[in-house]
Amino acid sequence: MANADKSGNKNNPRAKVSIFHLLLVLMGANLMMLLAPNFGMLNSFLYIPDIYTWSAVIAGVALLGLGFNGLYKKI
């Protein structure tokens, strides 16, 4: 056999998770779970007007988008 490549230990660099972006994802998910109109946990026992719930859902989706955008970084 000719020259065989014996470097079988090829590791890909690990991805680094950004704590700030992880917190953005968690905050966005909590906003959506708590204040979703007709389904949110706070709406089940409190009356919260729709102007607050829909704006919270939009803010939650925006936070999720920003958080997932920069969550993983290559080293």
Side-chain angles (χ1 to χ4, degrees):
M1 290 189 209
N3 296 331
D5 187 19
K6 294 184 180 180
S7 63
N9 204 7
K10 294 182 181 180
N11 292 335
N12 293 334
R14 296 182 67 181
K16 185 177 178 183
V17 176
S18 172
I19 299 297
F20 175 71
H21 287 95
L22 181 66
L23 289 176
L24 286 178
V25 169
L26 290 174
M27 284 175 36
N30 282 333
L31 271 176
M32 289 178 53
M33 276 189 359
L34 290 174
L35 296 172
N38 299 328
F39 298 107
M41 293 173 152
L42 286 179
N43 280 335
S44 64
F45 61 90
L46 294 175
Y47 173 72
I48 301 172
D50 284 341
I51 188 70
Y52 299 118
T53 56
W54 283 109
S55 60
V57 168
I58 292 169
V61 169
L63 285 174
L64 280 174
L66 288 173
F68 279 123
N69 190 20
L71 187 60
Y72 297 110
K73 297 178 183 176
K74 297 279 183 170
I75 296 177

